[in-house]
């Protein structure tokens, strides 16, 4: 596999993972597996370890995502026609905050891999996009629109950075 093909595979893995994380959370697993496969063929074991860490964090967060659906925190309760279960505010907010904390851990592992890629490939916005992704998590508590705005900005910066890396690779 050429360097450009590998960069395309890595870029698509990150972008697919992050878009799925924002839109269809359970399918994030597919993007993370794509990334893990792309890094399995590299000599940088820390990249593989970071993505494996994000996979474990994702696995830990999935039961909480399901509880979020049943509590009505996630809008997927409408998609699945589930009447939200009424619980105390402590349980409701506790589930939400616990889920976001685990999601922050997941994104921290992604940030670590982006930081290492930035040092290897010189991507101008890789670190910035990773930081924005982590900053988007608490924005979820403030406003869902703000969360999506920050998340999509980070994904756009990530894509732009991989485009620039690909252009350098072609030269």
């Amino acid at each position: 596999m050429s360097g450009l093909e590998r960069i395309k595979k890595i870029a698509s893995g990150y972008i697919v993972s992050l878009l799925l994380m924002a839109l269809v959370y359970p399918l994030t697993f597919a993007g993370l597996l794509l990334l893990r496969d792309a890094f399995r063929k590299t000599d940088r074991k820390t990249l593989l370890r970071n993505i494996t860490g994000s996979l474990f964090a994702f696995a830990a967060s999935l039961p909480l995502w399901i509880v979020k659906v049943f509590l009505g925190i996630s809008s997927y309760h409408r998609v699945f026609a589930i009447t939200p279960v009424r619980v105390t505010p402590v349980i409701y907010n506790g589930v939400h905050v616990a889920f976001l904390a685990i999601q922050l851990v997941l994104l921290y592992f992604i940030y670590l891999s982006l930081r290492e890629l930035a040092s290897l490939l010189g991507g101008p916005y890789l670190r910035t996009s990773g930081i924005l992704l982590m900053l988007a998590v608490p924005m979820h508590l403030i406003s869902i629109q703000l969360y999506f705005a920050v998340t999509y900005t980070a994904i756009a910066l990530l894509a732009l950075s991989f485009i620039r890396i690909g252009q350098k690779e072609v030269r």
Side-chain angles (χ1 to χ4, degrees), residues 14 17-18 21 25 28 32 35 39 46-58 61 99-117 126-138 154:
Y14 277 111
S17 294
L18 296 170
M21 189 181 299
Y25 192 76
T28 304
L32 291 173
L35 262 178
F39 288 139
T46 54
L47 288 169
L48 183 61
R49 233 184 352 256
N50 288 330
I51 296 304
T52 302
S54 64
L55 274 164
F56 281 121
F58 172 78
S61 71
F99 173 79
L100 292 176
I102 294 172
Q103 192 176 29
L104 187 60
V105 170
L106 186 156
L107 289 170
Y108 178 70
F109 280 115
I110 288 178
Y111 165 74
L112 290 176
S113 66
L114 288 172
R115 186 179 70 182
E116 184 163 348
L117 276 178
L126 291 176
R127 283 187 185 137
T128 306
S129 63
I131 291 170
L132 278 176
L133 287 167
M134 289 190 302
L135 287 175
V137 172

Side-chain angles (χ1 to χ4, degrees), residues 26-90:
L27 297 180
T28 304
F29 188 69
L32 291 173
L33 284 179
L34 182 68
L35 262 178
R36 191 165 188 267
D37 183 54
F39 288 139
R40 185 172 287 157
K41 296 170 180 79
T42 66
D43 58 341
R44 305 295 284 198
K45 297 302 174 201
T46 54
L47 288 169
L48 183 61
R49 233 184 352 256
N50 288 330
I51 296 304
T52 302
S54 64
L55 274 164
F56 281 121
F58 172 78
S61 71
L62 203 53
L64 286 172
W65 183 84
I66 293 168
V67 172
K68 278 180 49 176
V69 171
F70 281 99
L71 294 179
I73 299 169
S74 171
S75 61
Y76 277 96
H77 75 279
R78 287 186 222 114
V79 173
F80 299 129
I82 295 172
T83 303
V85 176
R86 294 220 183 265
V87 293
T88 66
V90 172

